[in-house]
Amino acid sequence: MLTRRLFHEDAYRTEFEARVLSCTATPDAWEVVLDQTCFYAESGGQPSDTGTLGGLPVRGVRLRDDGAIVHLVDAPLEGTVTGHVDWARRLDAMEQHTGQHLLSAVFVHLFGADTVAWHLGAEATTIDVEMESLTAEQAEEAELTCNRLIRAGLAVRTHLTDADHVHQFPLRKPPAVEGAIRVVEIEGFDWAACGGTHVRSTGELGLLKITAWERYKRLTRVTFLAGQRALRDYLALDRMTRDLARRLTIGVDDLPAWADRTQEELNSLRKRVRMQQEQLLAIEAKELIAGARRVGPARVVRQSFGGRPFEELRLLAGMVAAEPGCVAVFGTRGAVPQLILHRAVDLRLDVGKIIREVLPLINGKGGGSPVQAQGGGSRPEQLEAALDAAVEQIARALRISS
């Protein structure tokens, strides 16, 4: 049951009439097969069209093995129906798909790198090319080449052939289908077996922009935008940079220098704040040590804190433990209680073992070395009991070792 594919005859056609050949109920939808359709069925990396059929929203379109195109709708249809394809979605798919052909061909021409996969996403399109890495200079060269070919307005044509005659076309890669083969040509530059929809010329793309690339397995995944997507991206970036320049009362061209200068000032400020913080923590550590509890040969600073960054308390505990014979037993009050144990290097004490013994009191997990350990739990009401238990364990361990 072969459906006539009107989208191959005219990708710009969005309205049609067709006769319902079958309408089958499934648990999720009604599957409608027509004698002809403008709806592209999802295949080859291009998503299906959307729109309406007989006044019903088309939820999806798929290609059956026998060549029939199946339209998914929410109610039965019969007789002759009218279909309307969502033109904005169709045009976007045509722009991205033609952009993919162009960019893939450019990577072959410039770097001998084939495209092994591509994906047309809702926000951007990607191609996976056979390159272990891609430099900024190479990406720019590919992008400039694509846009030069766009300005050239090369015609995009289709050719129908078969396995016996396909060798007449210098395809980028062998066709993956049998029987009739549809070849999409970018005039004199690229030939690829493809069943998707495309614009009439590269000039209709207007613009192609590479936005990112990354290592993917042993390939390079290149993200790009073509046509209206690229234009919208440019408009958004232009609006953002101009608004930022206006807020800062500087010119757009001055933004990079302003960012560099601000980053230097921020780094300098962070260093100064860090130094002052360490000075204040050193004073606080001395005050805590002055009030420490004598436990055998050690001085134990047992303290719970609220509303302070955990990393700050780790630094404070380290300053306490820098004093010979001192042990910091710190806890943080809050929804997620945490413990920090840190002891001076001259003490014979395994705080990693101790913290593992007391963490169950707060339903916690953690660990560390004999010198420093930490952990967190989920029972804040047991924090003080856990700190007291840690001090008792330290006292017991010191008595045994002495």
Side-chain angles (χ1 to χ4, degrees), residues 147-156 187 200-204:
N147 284 287
R148 176 175 59 79
L149 295 169
I150 288 172
R151 292 192 302 273
L154 302 180
V156 179
E187 184 182 357
R200 296 189 184 101
S201 78
T202 59
E204 293 186 30

Side-chain angles (χ1 to χ4, degrees), residues 89-100:
R89 179 181 172 91
R90 162 67 67 81
L91 178 60
D92 177 64
M94 291 162 61
E95 290 177 338
Q96 307 317 308
H97 203 160
T98 306
Q100 178 265 312

